[in-house]
Amino acid sequence: MNAARKYAGVGAGARGVYGVASTCRALRSAQNTNTYTPKLVQLGDSDLVVPEICLGTMTWGQQNTEAEAHEQLSYALDCGVNFMDCAEMYPVPGKEETQGLTEKYIGSWLKNQRREDLIIASKVAGKSDRMTYLRENGVVRVTKADIKEGVDKILQRLGTDYIDLLQIHWPDRYVSLFGAKQYDESLAWESVPFEEQLEGMKEVIEQGKVRHIGVSNETSFGVMEFIRLSEQLGLPRMISIQNSYSLITRGPFETNLSEVCSKRNCNVGLLAYSPLAGGSLSGKYNEGDVEGARLSLFPGYMSRFRTSLALTAIKEYCEIAEKHGLTPTQLALAWCKSRWFVSSTIIGATTMKQLKENIDAFGVDLSEEIIEEVDNLNKKYRDPSIF
């Protein structure tokens, strides 16, 4: 075992068995319910075993109360979903007065749970000129000091002594993000070296504060640089990538990241976020704004999913779902589950009804006919959410 692979398992002892055992306990609990029981997946080049469903948390503290967060967490755990994803900047939209509430809500729930039964992922922010409140010195980058400060504050809010998966929320360097236009070299800035970021990760792993590491909103270049340096320098290895992936956001991952992240190459597991494109693929915005819904409450937020072209495509995906006796949510989530490179899909909900529908949607297996219809529509509307 080389040093990079060793660091994928530092600090947990029998973590591989640990992860399987804790997830299996959650699954046994799920067998006593009438809902879908998620399958288990080994995450990337690691011994961490996770369910194919991950509970998203970014509305907790903004659209959801602490009690509602606890209800979602307990229901998900009863269903076998013991994997949750949060971030130091949550809830969204990010603002100083609510920052950190999501992790605090998880922390208050954790007090009555078996920590070893849970897989908690969180994220430290990438470069930000706006969220200066995240750091004591008002400068948000991905230096060793930023990673240490971010991790220590995350642990304090969660009330735990370790994070199962720590991710870099977005790159420290300039990249084209969140549906933006193509990469423009003239916009690039001097970024924190990849090596320093990995060395910062190494420190928190060796201190027992973090077990595994991953990236988010990353590109093929970024993944390959992190893996190359891990292997050359014996530094910790990225095991996961959390990127947007859905029926209307396919190209960036399918065209090249899927090759880079495949098991035969870098072996980095995809944690697909926004599988419902901010709720748009449920069809609820087809006729306009919806009172209390995220994209209606926060004008401009995830606006890429509400462009005229995206909306036209979504309506036609809804027609495919109706034709085959499915809800739009079932089609979108079952399709995401069917992709060979998706390790786990992150679902988020503001109501228990939504959460139950989301989890149960994974019990649907799509026919080849439906997959073909989806692919044909994708040829017509290729990534309509990219500006």
Side-chain angles (χ1 to χ4, degrees):
M1 177 184 295
N2 67 28
R5 293 174 192 276
K6 177 191 74 171
Y7 274 115
V10 160
R15 180 163 65 254
V17 176
Y18 210 24
V20 172
S22 62
T23 304
C24 284
R25 280 194 288 271
L27 293 180
R28 282 196 294 272
S29 174
Q31 290 169 0
N32 296 322
T33 71
N34 294 321
T35 193
Y36 175 72
T37 302
K39 297 174 183 176
L40 301 181
V41 180
Q42 187 170 345
L43 188 57
D45 190 12
S46 78
D47 54 7
L48 182 63
V49 176
V50 300
E52 62 184 340
I53 305 172
C54 177
L55 182 63
T57 65
M58 70 180 187
T59 62
W60 303 350
Q62 178 66 54
Q63 291 177 264
N64 288 103
T65 65
E66 186 171 16
E68 289 169 341
H70 290 185
E71 184 180 16
Q72 288 193 31
L73 283 160
S74 296
Y75 179 81
L77 184 59
D78 286 343
C79 295
V81 180
N82 67 334
F83 184 22
M84 66 200 72
D85 176 72
C86 54
E88 65 172 339
M89 66 156 284
Y90 286 173
V92 296
K95 48 189 177 181
E96 187 171 5
E97 56 266 34
T98 57
Q99 183 265 323
L101 284 179
T102 300
E103 289 172 330
K104 289 179 180 178
Y105 289 0
I106 295 172
S108 59
W109 177 80
L110 271 179
K111 292 177 181 178
N112 298 310
Q113 308 299 322
R114 285 166 49 103
R115 175 63 181 90
E116 63 269 25
D117 286 349
L118 305 168
I119 301 168
I120 301 177
S122 192
K123 300 184 283 292
V124 289
K127 180 182 183 299
S128 175
D129 296 325
R130 184 176 66 84
M131 290 183 282
T132 54
Y133 50 83
L134 292 176
R135 297 288 174 264
E136 295 298 327
N137 66 2
V139 180
V140 183
R141 302 298 298 267
V142 192
T143 64
K144 288 183 183 180
D146 282 281
I147 292 170
K148 181 183 185 302
E149 181 181 341
V151 167
D152 287 346
K153 289 180 176 178
I154 290 169
L155 293 175
Q156 184 178 29
R157 287 189 292 267
L158 289 172
T160 185
D161 56 3
Y162 68 94
I163 302 164
D164 294 283
L165 176 64
L166 178 69
Q167 305 150 97
I168 299 171
H169 205 155
W170 58 87
D172 183 84
R173 68 191 191 282
Y174 160 70
V175 295
S176 179
L177 284 176
F178 311 124
K181 295 179 180 179
Q182 67 271 17
Y183 180 85
D184 184 347
E185 185 180 30
S186 68
L187 300 178
W189 55 73
E190 193 69 26
S191 60
V192 176
F194 287 90
E195 183 176 344
E196 179 179 347
Q197 295 177 59
L198 287 173
E199 287 172 345
M201 293 296 195
K202 176 183 176 181
E203 289 183 1
V204 292
I205 289 174
E206 291 185 333
Q207 292 166 1
K209 298 175 181 178
V210 171
R211 291 182 165 179
H212 301 278
I213 59 173
V215 292
S216 181
N217 297 299
E218 193 49 278
T219 67
S220 295
F221 169 72
V223 172
M224 294 182 74
E225 275 297 285
F226 276 123
I227 297 300
R228 181 182 68 83
L229 289 167
S230 294
E231 293 181 345
Q232 287 185 359
L233 304 176
L235 292 167
R237 187 183 184 91
M238 299 295 182
I239 69 166
S240 63
I241 177 170
Q242 184 180 147
N243 276 25
S244 178
Y245 185 71
S246 71
L247 286 169
I248 61 171
T249 311
R250 296 177 56 171
F253 203 92
E254 292 183 350
T255 53
N256 51 70
L257 267 165
S258 55
E259 178 188 13
V260 170
C261 296
S262 65
K263 290 182 179 180
R264 65 187 300 163
N265 293 318
C266 293
N267 194 7
V268 175
L270 173 61
L271 305 177
Y273 80 79
S274 288
L276 291 175
S280 296
L281 282 165
S282 71
K284 65 182 178 183
Y285 298 110
N286 284 3
E287 304 306 323
D289 282 338
V290 178
E291 184 178 358
R294 186 189 322 161
L295 304 193
S296 299
L297 282 173
F298 311 113
Y301 181 68
M302 289 188 171
S303 58
R304 62 191 182 279
F305 297 138
R306 297 193 68 183
T307 64
S308 58
L309 187 60
L311 185 59
T312 299
I314 289 167
K315 288 179 178 179
E316 293 195 33
Y317 282 116
C318 290
E319 290 173 3
I320 292 177
E322 183 178 10
K323 173 184 174 182
H324 293 279
L326 301 172
T327 67
T329 295
Q330 286 177 320
L331 174 67
L333 295 180
W335 177 83
C336 203
K337 179 193 76 169
S338 73
R339 304 298 85 192
W340 62 267
F341 43 77
V342 174
S343 295
S344 188
T345 302
I346 302 174
I347 58 170
T350 54
T351 69
M352 288 302 298
K353 180 181 179 182
Q354 290 173 347
L355 180 60
K356 291 173 182 178
E357 181 182 8
N358 288 350
I359 292 176
D360 288 343
F362 286 82
V364 174
D365 291 314
L366 302 181
S367 66
E368 288 300 320
E369 179 186 0
I370 297 176
I371 296 292
E372 184 177 356
E373 289 182 27
V374 165
D375 286 341
N376 287 337
L377 193 53
N378 179 58
K379 294 174 185 176
K380 182 179 178 182
Y381 301 106
R382 196 173 295 276
D383 286 347
S385 64
I386 294 180
F387 292 129

